[in-house]
Amino acid sequence: MRHPQASEVVIKDIISHFVLQLVYCTTVDLKKWFLSLETALFRYRFIIEQPEPQRALMEEIGLSYKALSGSELENVLDKLVLVSRSLGAQSPPTASDIFHMVPFEEVPELVASRRVFISKGHAYIARNQVFPLVATRFRSLLSKALTLTNRKWATTTAEQETDPLPPIVEAISSTYLVLHISSIRSLVRFP
């Protein structure tokens, strides 16, 4: 999430992300581990954000879903109420709730389980239903970034044999493996 005035903490967070991206791009296991934890962190940060920063982030990562305006929402509100009642929701949607209009083919699981209203090729989804789409896009972009980082890292380290950074990155990667193996051993008791 972009902050207009990045504090020292935010800058350190950004730097640590890219250092860890460099460390965890080297093997498939490390990549999977990093993707799962970064996605979990992203999920937490996205959910606690206000709607406007969420919308800005969605646009930045290429998910320009239209949030329904007052009159547009009023036109379909009765249908959204019917869908929410059929799902057993405690409180039906109101005109103050945020709904997005997305192409229905992007939410096949919601369509299949009849958890959305569909009209003219668009599914009308609540703000809380948008997150899986955003998380999937985030994970995909991060996975591509890890692949590119790995390629760049491999070519850079091959060209510069005297660079002190590769041993540091290797040490951090192997530390993860030792910690990961020891945590597995503590879960599965070996005789």
Side-chain angles (χ1 to χ4, degrees), residues 3-179:
H3 294 273
Q5 298 174 344
S7 68
E8 188 175 324
V9 172
V10 172
I11 291 170
K12 285 181 181 180
D13 186 43
I14 292 168
I15 292 169
S16 67
H17 167 81
F18 287 107
V19 169
L20 292 172
Q21 186 173 323
L22 180 62
V23 170
Y24 292 108
C25 72
T26 55
T27 69
V28 173
D29 287 338
L30 292 174
K31 184 178 172 181
K32 283 181 185 177
W33 184 82
F34 184 70
L35 280 170
S36 68
L37 290 180
E38 280 295 298
T39 303
L41 177 61
F42 174 78
R43 176 180 294 121
Y44 169 75
R45 288 182 172 174
F46 185 82
I47 289 172
I48 65 170
E49 274 295 346
Q50 296 299 313
E52 185 52 34
Q54 285 180 345
R55 187 200 57 74
L57 176 70
M58 289 168 56
E59 280 188 20
E60 186 177 323
I61 64 174
L63 296 176
S64 299
Y65 300 136
K66 181 181 179 189
L68 298 179
S69 66
S71 63
E72 293 170 318
L73 184 57
E74 288 293 327
N75 291 338
V76 294
L77 189 58
D78 56 333
K79 307 279 194 291
L80 297 173
V81 168
L82 289 173
V83 170
S84 85
R85 280 190 190 146
S86 72
L87 296 172
Q90 277 90 15
S91 59
T94 64
S96 64
D97 291 337
I98 298 173
F99 281 84
H100 296 275
M101 196 168 70
V102 304
F104 80 93
E105 62 270 5
E106 291 189 23
V107 289
E109 65 287 338
L110 295 176
V111 172
S113 62
R114 298 179 181 192
R115 292 184 284 164
V116 292
F117 169 64
I118 299 174
S119 177
K120 298 179 183 175
H122 291 345
Y124 294 81
I125 62 175
R127 179 178 169 216
N128 64 340
Q129 293 173 312
V130 171
F131 177 73
L133 300 171
V134 177
T136 299
R137 178 63 63 93
F138 171 80
R139 188 177 177 98
S140 171
L141 292 171
L142 183 57
S143 180
K144 288 176 186 175
L146 286 167
T147 301
L148 290 173
T149 302
N150 189 21
R151 285 185 197 148
K152 289 282 190 185
W153 178 249
T155 58
T156 302
T157 56
E159 294 170 358
Q160 301 173 353
E161 294 177 14
T162 59
D163 191 355
L165 194 55
I168 295 169
V169 170
E170 183 61 36
I172 295 171
S173 296
S174 62
T175 300
Y176 159 76
L177 291 175
V178 169
L179 292 172

Side-chain angles (χ1 to χ4, degrees), residues 175-188 190:
T175 300
Y176 159 76
L177 291 175
V178 169
L179 292 172
H180 184 65
I181 290 169
S182 65
S183 66
I184 290 173
R185 285 189 178 147
S186 68
L187 293 174
V188 180
F190 290 106

